Amino acid sequence: MDKGLHFVFCVITTMQLLRESSQTGEKNDPKMLAASKSGFGTYSRGREEGLPTLTVTTILEDPYVMVRSAELEGYCIDLLKSLAAMLHFSYRVKVVGDGQYGAVSSSGNWTGMIGEILRQEADIAVAPLTVTSAREEVVSFTTPFLQTGIGILLRKDTISQEMSFFHFLAPFSKETWTGLLFAYMLTCFCLFLVARLSPCEWNEPKNEENHFTFLNSLWFGAGALALQGVTPRPKALSVRVIAAVWWLFTIALLAAYIANFTALLSSGSEQLPIQTFEDLVKQRKLEFGTLDGSSTFYFFKNSKNPIHQMIYEYMDKRRDHVLVKTYQEAVQRVMESNYAFIGESISQDLAAARHCNLIRAPEVIGARGFGIATTQASPWTKKLSVAVLKLRESGDLDYLRNKWWETSCLHKSRERWSPLQPQALGGLFLTLGIGLALGVIAAVVELSNKSRHAAGHAKKSCCSVFTEEMCTRLRIKENTRQSQETSGRANA
């Protein structure tokens, strides 16, 4: 009897040791990681704690899922932990066998994580899996946990331009320079007009010489732009009002120019020559492509936009050369060759944060989201959607976004520079216009006062004297020429 009990005890001990050894081997396998966790502890099997166990398929992509010290970590792993703690389930994570996200193969079957869910090899897929209409027809998606789009990833030195010969004009836009030229000409004309009308600047037109000719007015305005005092110096109040407003305008304008030009030089280069997908198609220096079989590739294939169709035709004809298999391969190729990668903008932001010589072009198209895929009619779809919404409302998703997208660059990313538009100087141009109007009004008032006094002495109407004064001052060159001819005939 004792020998029988001893035999049974040995058999049970041996089976227990073999079981623990098998669990240890499974735990150390980075491709198949039992990570069933809740808020209170780690569970190797959900059945032992009475919790349902879900098989989760994912894909290795930084920073969503990464292998660190024989364990998986990343944004999706943290998200999975939060969902498990909230919904009380345990899980087992497996990396997708073919390394694909999910697309229809030539045989009509789905590949990647979508295929594993359809074949019931996994219950859910937690990964940077884009929600598309084609995938939605065969599986169900939860509320997106990340919003993204399609962008262009570039290397800075491949898209940098040499400074143009007229680089000094870059701080202002063409519209701003046009407005500045118009304001200069209008101000100089007002100086010329007001100096002729004002009796304080030009009391006796027949006997005095007016220094504010049109050429002198142009010179006076140009001198103010260079912050230099030039002659002639204004005497009348009306002329001084216009001169003071023009000086104020030029000081503010020069300050804006210097500030924007300094920002342009400190940015390291002028605007990116590749701002949009149309710019990418027009250039011939860079090759461009995307992930083979990805939703981005099929977005361009199905798009009716002519630019998008040109991009698809380019990638389809050079499929073996420009399409890449993994995201890591795409980033490496951008860094090492003249290649532009078209892909998820949020992943490109991460690449630009990790590699300081990379940059994403400004345009983003095809707004989309990353969702958790489940089988159709799965009871977990709605539960997971509600849990994702709660995590978003509590700020946990923003925390994870900031945690895994933190930049490793030593310098802070500079803001994109742009030329100064006329709208930014609208108040300055308005002030100049008001000043010019006040100067002209002041000149008319000064001339009216003199005409009133002259009319009293000559016993004429004020209007007739004002009209004579106006005609005399605006036609001074003709009167001077006639007086010179008359004096010449008298001398003869």
Side-chain angles (χ1 to χ4, degrees):
M1 187 68 179
D2 294 337
K3 292 182 178 179
L5 291 174
H6 181 71
F7 176 77
V8 172
F9 178 78
C10 291
V11 171
I12 293 175
T13 304
T14 303
M15 292 180 62
Q16 185 67 23
L17 291 174
L18 291 174
R19 178 180 173 185
E20 292 178 359
S21 176
S22 175
Q23 291 178 356
T24 304
E26 182 180 359
K27 181 179 180 180
N28 292 332
D29 185 4
K31 298 289 183 180
M32 189 73 71
L33 193 65
S36 306
K37 296 182 179 181
S38 68
F40 300 97
T42 302
Y43 299 90
S44 58
R45 292 189 181 183
R47 299 175 196 157
E48 297 178 359
E49 298 296 332
L51 297 178
T53 302
L54 299 181
T55 301
V56 181
T57 181
T58 189
I59 191 169
L60 294 178
E61 181 175 330
D62 186 8
Y64 303 98
V65 180
M66 301 171 289
V67 179
R68 299 284 174 84
S69 302
E71 293 186 358
L72 294 180
E73 65 175 26
Y75 179 94
C76 289
I77 300 301
D78 287 350
L79 175 63
L80 193 56
K81 292 177 183 178
S82 300
L83 294 174
M86 185 177 297
L87 300 178
H88 304 290
F89 66 85
S90 59
Y91 58 88
R92 186 173 65 91
V93 180
K94 63 185 294 291
V95 177
V96 60
D98 58 5
Q100 300 293 321
Y101 290 87
V104 180
S105 63
S106 57
S107 61
N109 298 321
W110 281 85
T111 62
M113 292 176 283
I114 302 297
E116 291 190 350
I117 291 179
L118 293 176
R119 295 189 297 269
Q120 297 184 353
E121 297 174 6
D123 298 310
I124 62 175
V126 182
L129 190 61
T130 305
V131 180
T132 64
S133 59
R135 292 170 178 171
E136 189 73 49
E137 290 179 354
V138 295
V139 298
S140 296
F141 280 97
T142 64
T143 300
F145 57 86
L146 269 180
Q147 297 293 334
T148 182
I150 300 176
I152 308 171
L153 184 65
L154 307 156
R155 196 174 75 247
K156 291 181 179 179
D157 57 356
T158 59
I159 45 85
S160 60
Q161 287 183 327
E162 294 182 358
M163 289 188 179
S164 63
F165 189 71
F166 296 98
H167 192 65
F168 67 94
L169 299 176
F172 290 163
S173 65
K174 295 179 180 178
E175 294 80 6
T176 305
W177 284 116
T178 303
L180 174 59
L181 179 61
F182 177 77
Y184 168 70
M185 297 300 296
L186 180 61
T187 302
C188 293
F189 176 76
C190 288
L191 279 173
F192 167 74
L193 178 64
V194 169
R196 284 185 170 274
L197 294 180
S198 176
C200 299
E201 190 70 41
W202 198 26
N203 192 25
E204 294 294 337
K206 296 181 179 180
N207 301 324
E208 296 181 15
E209 180 182 359
N210 192 304
H211 298 289
F212 271 98
T213 62
F214 188 69
L215 290 179
N216 286 345
S217 299
L218 291 175
W219 181 246
F220 183 88
L225 280 173
L227 299 181
Q228 299 295 320
V230 294
T231 55
R233 302 185 184 278
K235 301 175 183 179
L237 175 63
S238 55
V239 182
R240 289 180 178 181
V241 168
I242 294 179
V245 173
W246 178 245
W247 289 336
L248 176 64
F249 178 85
T250 56
I251 291 174
L253 190 73
L254 288 174
Y257 177 87
I258 294 172
N260 212 30
F261 193 61
T262 303
L264 170 62
L265 295 178
S266 62
S267 65
S269 63
E270 55 185 323
Q271 276 191 304
L272 298 177
I274 298 179
Q275 297 277 332
T276 64
F277 285 87
E278 184 177 358
D279 297 335
L280 184 64
V281 172
K282 291 180 179 179
Q283 59 82 39
R284 293 293 180 267
K285 182 179 180 181
L286 299 179
E287 297 178 325
F288 53 89
T290 186
L291 289 173
D292 189 9
S294 64
S295 60
T296 301
F297 181 81
Y298 289 99
F299 170 84
F300 288 100
K301 179 179 180 181
N302 300 326
S303 176
K304 302 301 181 182
N305 188 303
I307 300 298
H308 299 170
Q309 280 296 309
M310 293 174 63
I311 294 176
Y312 167 72
E313 292 174 0
Y314 174 89
M315 295 189 298
D316 189 50
K317 291 180 181 178
R318 301 166 178 81
R319 177 184 293 267
D320 296 334
H321 185 59
V322 299
L323 297 184
V324 294
K325 300 298 182 183
T326 63
Y327 176 77
Q328 290 77 9
E329 178 187 351
V331 174
Q332 195 69 21
R333 187 167 177 180
V334 172
M335 296 178 62
E336 295 177 354
S337 62
N338 291 338
Y339 180 79
F341 173 62
I342 302 174
E344 302 293 347
S345 60
I346 193 169
S347 300
Q348 294 175 348
D349 290 338
L350 174 71
R354 299 284 177 85
H355 307 282
C356 300
N357 62 331
L358 299 182
I359 190 171
R360 179 176 63 81
E363 185 181 34
V364 176
I365 61 174
R368 55 184 64 189
F370 292 154
I372 300 175
T374 66
T375 57
Q376 288 186 335
S378 172
W380 289 100
T381 306
K382 186 173 182 180
K383 295 179 181 179
L384 291 170
S385 293
V386 174
V388 169
L389 289 174
K390 289 181 178 179
L391 292 175
R392 178 177 298 166
E393 292 170 355
S394 63
D396 290 345
L397 293 184
D398 292 334
Y399 167 76
L400 293 179
R401 173 72 164 79
N402 296 331
K403 173 184 176 181
W404 292 103
W405 269 259
E406 183 180 2
T407 179
S408 61
C409 298
L410 296 179
H411 62 274
K412 296 181 179 179
S413 59
R414 299 187 180 100
E415 296 182 356
R416 288 188 177 91
W417 173 89
S418 60
L420 200 61
Q421 300 296 327
Q423 293 81 357
L425 301 175
L428 194 59
F429 281 99
L430 179 61
T431 303
L432 178 63
I434 294 174
L436 296 180
L438 289 177
V440 173
I441 293 173
V444 173
V445 171
E446 291 172 350
L447 184 59
S448 299
N449 291 334
K450 181 183 179 182
S451 300
R452 189 180 301 110
H453 293 298
H457 292 294
K459 296 181 180 182
K460 295 182 179 179
S461 65
C462 182
C463 292
S464 61
V465 175
F466 180 83
T467 303
E468 291 176 1
E469 286 285 345
M470 183 78 71
C471 295
T472 302
R473 293 173 184 280
L474 295 180
R475 298 175 182 175
I476 187 61
K477 289 187 177 181
E478 181 180 352
N479 294 339
T480 303
R481 184 167 55 252
Q482 291 177 356
S483 63
Q484 289 177 352
E485 292 177 356
T486 302
S487 63
R489 292 171 183 173
N491 293 334

